[in-house]
Amino acid sequence: MAMADQALEIDSSARGQPRNPAEWIRVETVDRLAVGIADGAILHGGDLRTSGLGSCVAVAICAPDEGVGGLIHPMLPHGGISVENRAKYVDTAVADLVATLEGIGIDRSSMVGGLVGGATMFSLDREADSIGERNASAAEAQLAAFEIPVQTEDVGGSSGRTATVSTDTGEITVRTAKTDSS
Amino acid sequence: MTDELSAIERYNHLARQGAAVTADSLGQLTGATVRSRATDVRLTVPAGIADRLGDRPYVAIQADFDGHLDGAAAIAIAREDVRTVTETMGADDALHQSGLETIGNLAVSGFVDVLANAFQEAIYLTPPRVVEGAGAEVLPLEEYASDEWIITIASQLELVDHVLDLELVMLPDGEGLFHALDPSDRDGSALERIVRIGDLAREGTEQAAGHLSMMTGLEADLALSRLRFATVEAIPTEADPGNVVGTVFELEDAPGGYLALLFEEEAAKRVVDAMVPTDDPFDDWAGMDKSAIEELGNVTTSGLIDGWAEAQGSTIAHSPPEFVADDRVAILGAVANRLALEQSTAVIGDAAISLDGGAVACEIYLLPRHPLLREALDDLMSDDRTDGDG
């Protein structure tokens, strides 16, 4: 996958470290970027947006002091060690996002997290723990495991959401497709 | 035993590799980040491609190939997308034409090289020719009937934040393709089984169109169906965001999985108004409006699956209709997530029924579970053989 020509210039101490250990996470310097399903991106000072969040959960990790943030949109809670597509699972995707941010010189202690999505869209999903609830729990647990505090959380309910992350400030704006009835 | 789903999965995997190679080449050409967003293999008909491309101006690069596979290849790119690429390269109008040929060449040869490498055999391409025109007329489909099944690859590339839609038509002799994908398939039975699913989906869509017309009193103008073979994550990725209203069912018997019938919100209001005309104000999808959509879902679903059940010689039980009113991508994403618990790829029966002169479109997504789909196909093909022998 092609990388941006203009790399983030964050911290010289990151020199020699892999700039992007997870190839699926794009590191870009543009004003805005859409993040798809099973996809992820990091921006320096622009807006990251992901739509169509139903039972999927979007996880944002930002370093507001650095004006850098990343956003992922995994589908299922747990992938395990040898998954084919690490972008698809909350546990592997969060680990890759943290590693990629660290790879470009972002200190873990400056990171704050945000969670959006994890809705229960159908009653079919209510038979057992819904995928949405499991996704949200897995994201909370994984951020806690990396000791990243959650600053914004908008999860659950039964509506689809769109999330926009301002990487300048770490602020997350959430829009729903309908008025949430739950 | 022939495993058509594994063969088509392999083709899909190769198509994704071809898209990644093309994205890399375009990235090097433009100096920008280009990545493959979604790629899938489709069993479709020329009329379906014509409907998808509409009458917008397209540019296609056509080439014939022979060697391990014989056939024709063409890639169609919307003219405005070509301009986006050449502008990203900083090319002026004089360079526009050569840029366009370069892009087409990169794309066609990228896909063909991936196939040749995978099969460890040579595939020779003739020099490319550039064809410009409206919609599907730029593609070499003249020798196919408008309702004849063909296998194509559709790919979306993303140039920074701009999505480029590519329609790649690879038209190898179908049996030859499946034999190359799975050398143990000597009699073309994998293709036969894939086409059987396509036929059932098509017949079901036509029945469903009749049921929709009957329920709403709106005339059905066009019913198009196709099969897409994609990764589960591509199911919602390829859908356009937007509010839709409809029903989702879980199929409890083979072919299993999920069925979603969706209308854009305004179209759904029109449908409800046609079914239960009332002067009462719209009640925001509660009460009568919701019941009408659920009932329409029930009746349309029976049109879709009754023929399939009859061909299988069984019934297909399904859950009660689950009313949905939300963003299309979020709904399909939630269905994809359920499928993703047990499979990484999906066969998507994807149909569109146009009613009332195109004012109302019903989108249908049939997403079977692979083990149950295989079971259904085994039943269907063994019944067909028995019928044929008898």
Side-chain angles (χ1 to χ4, degrees), chain B residues 214-234:
Chain B
M214 183 188 69
M215 288 286 285
T216 58
L218 304 173
E219 194 176 335
D221 316 302
L222 187 67
L224 282 171
S225 59
R226 64 183 179 191
L227 296 182
R228 289 194 285 138
F229 305 90
T231 57
V232 283
E233 51 270 35

Side-chain angles (χ1 to χ4, degrees), chain A residues 43-110:
Chain A
L43 274 193
H44 189 184
D47 286 351
L48 288 166
R49 181 171 180 273
T50 195
S51 59
L53 284 160
S55 53
C56 292
V57 64
V59 181
I61 300 179
C62 295
D65 294 344
E66 311 277 5
V68 172
L71 180 67
I72 51 173
H73 183 151
M75 302 171 77
L76 294 174
H78 302 293
I81 299 164
S82 57
V83 296
E84 192 191 339
N85 183 356
R86 294 174 63 85
K88 223 160 94 177
Y89 303 94
V90 172
D91 55 356
T92 47
V94 170
D96 282 359
L97 179 57
V98 172
T100 307
L101 285 164
E102 288 182 334
I104 57 171
I106 304 295
D107 197 83
R108 181 91 59 90
S109 63
S110 68

Side-chain angles (χ1 to χ4, degrees), chain B residues 123-319:
Chain B
I123 301 175
Y124 305 101
L125 272 176
T126 60
R129 46 193 185 271
V130 180
V131 182
E132 298 196 42
E137 72 182 29
V138 298
L139 295 170
L141 298 169
E142 309 83 17
E143 62 186 271
Y144 297 88
S146 67
D147 61 350
E148 190 171 348
W149 289 122
I150 53 175
I151 291 179
T152 66
I153 296 167
S155 185
Q156 292 182 329
L157 302 184
E158 205 169 40
L159 179 77
V160 191
D161 212 14
H162 185 88
V163 176
L164 311 176
D165 258 321
L166 307 181
E167 182 85 30
L168 175 73
V169 177
M170 288 282 294
L171 296 164
D173 143 59
E175 283 185 21
L177 173 65
F178 276 87
H179 181 62
L181 292 166
D182 176 8
S184 71
D185 177 21
R186 296 188 185 285
D187 58 358
S189 61
L191 179 62
E192 203 185 319
R193 286 161 67 92
I194 296 279
V195 164
R196 188 76 172 98
I197 310 174
D199 285 342
L200 283 168
R202 171 152 65 189
E203 287 157 22
T205 305
E206 282 163 9
Q207 287 293 321
H211 288 208
L212 271 173
S213 261
M214 183 188 69
M215 288 286 285
T216 58
L218 304 173
E219 194 176 335
D221 316 302
L222 187 67
L224 282 171
S225 59
R226 64 183 179 191
L227 296 182
R228 289 194 285 138
F229 305 90
T231 57
V232 283
E233 51 270 35
I235 298 169
T237 300
E238 291 182 29
D240 292 328
N243 282 4
V244 292
V245 174
T247 42
V248 176
F249 296 82
E250 182 167 11
L251 303 182
E252 284 148 18
D253 299 312
Y258 303 91
L259 184 60
L261 299 113
L262 306 176
F263 298 89
E264 291 200 344
E265 198 162 13
E266 285 309 310
K269 287 179 186 167
R270 194 169 178 135
V271 161
V272 170
D273 198 40
M275 286 172 73
V276 278
T278 172
D279 292 332
D280 294 344
F282 174 62
D283 63 6
D284 203 20
W285 304 117
M288 280 297 283
D289 296 336
K290 184 179 168 194
S291 304
I293 290 289
E294 285 171 342
E295 186 50 23
L296 192 63
N298 266 327
V299 172
T300 310
T301 294
S302 97
L304 278 164
I305 62 178
D306 285 357
W308 187 310
E310 196 180 319
Q312 271 174 207
S314 63
T315 54
I316 302 174
H318 59 75
S319 69

Side-chain angles (χ1 to χ4, degrees), chain A residues 2 4-5 26 28 30 32 34 37 39 52 55-56 75-76 85 88 121-125 131 158-160 177-178, chain B residues 24 31 33 35 158 160-161 232-233 236 243 248 250 322 324-327 329-331 334-335 337-338 340-341 344:
Chain A
D5 281 337
R26 291 167 286 161
E28 295 280 5
V30 291
R32 62 180 185 281
I37 291 143
D39 186 19
S55 53
C56 292
M75 302 171 77
L76 294 174
N85 183 356
K88 223 160 94 177
M121 301 288 290
F122 313 126
S123 62
L124 300 168
D125 263 338
I131 293 174
S158 60
S159 290
K178 63 175 183 186
Chain B
D24 272 353
T33 301
R35 64 184 199 125
E158 205 169 40
V160 191
D161 212 14
V232 283
E233 51 270 35
N243 282 4
V248 176
E250 182 167 11
E322 171 88 31
V324 285
D326 211 304
D327 175 54
V329 182
I331 293 168
V335 175
N337 285 2
R338 290 179 66 90
L341 290 170
S344 59

